């Protein structure tokens, strides 16, 4: 048997070890099955348990693009709960929440237009995302159009534009709030939060871990001047005592 030259041996050993040396990314569950969705599933106050099946769009919900007028896979009424769901590709406009709602253990394998959009009209409404994760969001993961508070906790995001964005140019604007607790964000990503300070938005952060971003390119909290038409203007970034509420100890890098 012919012996390998030392350089060839070193190259072969490096190739063998390379996959094991890569940093671990987000960990997603294996779906229990797959279910095509051609018409939006409307969820009432009794809630919906997907049994960890993968739901994906077909027909008008199957473009997989970034069009702003796509329908959602799930539409949640005020007071509804959605749990144990995996959204596959194409995911259309993900989930629409029409008031207070809760998403528990919901996973987006490949975010479409947005993963979920918070609508509604009451300043007291709350959208809670508890557990789960999202990957491959070229733009936003969570879009906040109505008033109220969005809570994102125990969540992981991987390869994303923005994890959360308070609508920058909705025809009707509101004061909006977001709370992020125990979030793990895997690079690449652009920013965790974008808010409109001129409307009094706030963002609170605790136990945020950012993985694979040693140069700290992922922005924590971007500030915009929101508008009702045209494009919002970015006016700043970083912590303050009024809108972007966090301390350096709330953010860890690994």
């Amino acid at each position: 048997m012919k012996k390998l030259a030392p350089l060839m041996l070193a190259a072969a050993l490096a190739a063998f070890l390379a996959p094991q040396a890569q940093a671990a990314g987000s960990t997603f569950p294996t779906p229990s099955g797959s279910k095509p969705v051609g018409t939006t599933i409307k969820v009432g106050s009794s809630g919906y348990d997907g049994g960890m099946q993968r739901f994906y769009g077909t027909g008008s919900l199957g473009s997989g693009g970034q069009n702003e007028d796509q329908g959602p896979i799930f539409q949640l009424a005020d007071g509804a709960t959605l749990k144990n769901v995996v959204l596959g590709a194409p995911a259309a406009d993900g989930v629409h929440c029409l008031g207070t709602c809760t998403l528990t253990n919901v996973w987006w394998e490949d975010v479409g237009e947005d993963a979920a959009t918070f609508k509604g009209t009451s300043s007291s409404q709350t959208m809670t995302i508890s557990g789960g994760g999202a990957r491959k969001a070229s733009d936003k993961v969570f879009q906040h159009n109505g008033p109220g508070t969005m809570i994102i906790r125990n969540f992981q995001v991987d390869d994303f534009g923005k994890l959360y964005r308070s609508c920058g140019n909705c025809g009707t604007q509101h004061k909006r709030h977001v709370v992020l607790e125990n979030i793990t964000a895997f690079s690449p990503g652009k920013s965790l939060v974008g808010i409109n300070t001129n409307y009094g938005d706030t963002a609170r952060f605790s136990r945020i871990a950012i993985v694979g971003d040693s140069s700290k390119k992922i922005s924590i909290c971007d500030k915009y001047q929101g508008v009702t038409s045209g494009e919002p203007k970015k006016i700043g970034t970083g912590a303050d005592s009024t809108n972007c509420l966090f301390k350096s100890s709330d953010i860890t890098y690994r």
Side-chain angles (χ1 to χ4, degrees):
M1 182 175 175
K2 187 176 180 180
K3 293 184 178 180
L4 290 173
L7 289 176
M8 293 176 63
L9 182 60
L13 182 61
F16 175 76
L17 293 176
Q20 300 178 8
Q22 293 175 358
S26 55
T27 302
F28 272 49
T30 300
S32 61
S34 291
K35 184 174 181 178
V37 180
T39 303
T40 297
I41 299 171
K42 296 184 177 181
V43 181
S45 57
S46 59
Y48 189 98
D49 188 333
M52 292 311 296
Q53 288 192 93
R54 175 189 286 122
F55 296 79
Y56 63 93
T58 61
S60 63
L61 299 179
S63 72
Q66 289 292 314
N67 296 333
E68 293 291 338
D69 57 353
Q70 292 181 76
I73 301 292
F74 291 94
Q75 178 179 288
L76 276 56
D78 185 22
T81 297
L82 179 69
K83 62 182 180 180
N84 301 326
V85 163
V86 178
L87 280 85
D93 201 25
V95 178
H96 285 184
C97 178
L98 304 184
T100 291
C101 68
T102 302
L103 280 62
T104 303
N105 197 34
V106 177
W107 302 82
W108 290 264
E109 294 178 324
D110 189 339
V111 173
E113 181 187 341
D114 299 315
T117 302
F118 190 16
K119 300 190 172 191
T121 58
S122 172
S123 61
S124 63
Q125 66 188 12
T126 302
M127 181 178 187
T128 303
I129 298 102
S130 182
R135 285 174 172 162
K136 302 178 183 178
S138 59
D139 190 8
K140 305 173 297 293
V141 178
F142 297 117
Q143 172 78 16
H144 195 162
N145 289 351
T149 302
M150 185 183 294
I151 300 169
I152 310 168
R153 61 165 64 106
N154 306 326
F155 193 83
Q156 55 182 303
V157 62
D158 191 344
D159 188 5
F160 61 102
K162 298 179 181 70
L163 174 56
Y164 167 93
R165 180 66 170 103
S166 172
C167 183
N169 57 2
C170 283
T172 300
Q173 288 286 26
H174 306 277
K175 177 188 289 189
R176 306 182 181 100
H177 308 285
V178 62
V179 178
L180 279 72
E181 302 173 346
N182 192 28
I183 305 297
T184 304
F186 295 87
S187 181
K190 293 181 180 178
S191 67
L192 294 182
V193 162
I195 59 174
N196 307 311
T197 57
N198 57 315
Y199 295 126
D201 291 357
T202 64
R204 297 178 182 274
F205 302 78
S206 63
R207 294 184 294 151
I208 309 298
I210 300 178
V211 182
D213 184 30
S214 58
S215 58
K216 299 184 179 180
K217 291 183 178 180
I218 297 175
S219 176
I220 305 303
C221 187
D222 290 336
K223 306 167 194 180
Y224 291 85
Q225 181 174 326
V227 295
T228 54
S229 64
E231 290 300 318
K233 178 182 178 182
K234 185 176 176 180
I235 56 175
T237 189
D240 58 46
S241 60
T242 305
N243 304 104
C244 292
L245 305 170
F246 65 95
K247 306 182 298 294
S248 58
S249 58
D250 292 316
I251 316 296
T252 59
Y253 292 84
R254 61 175 194 254

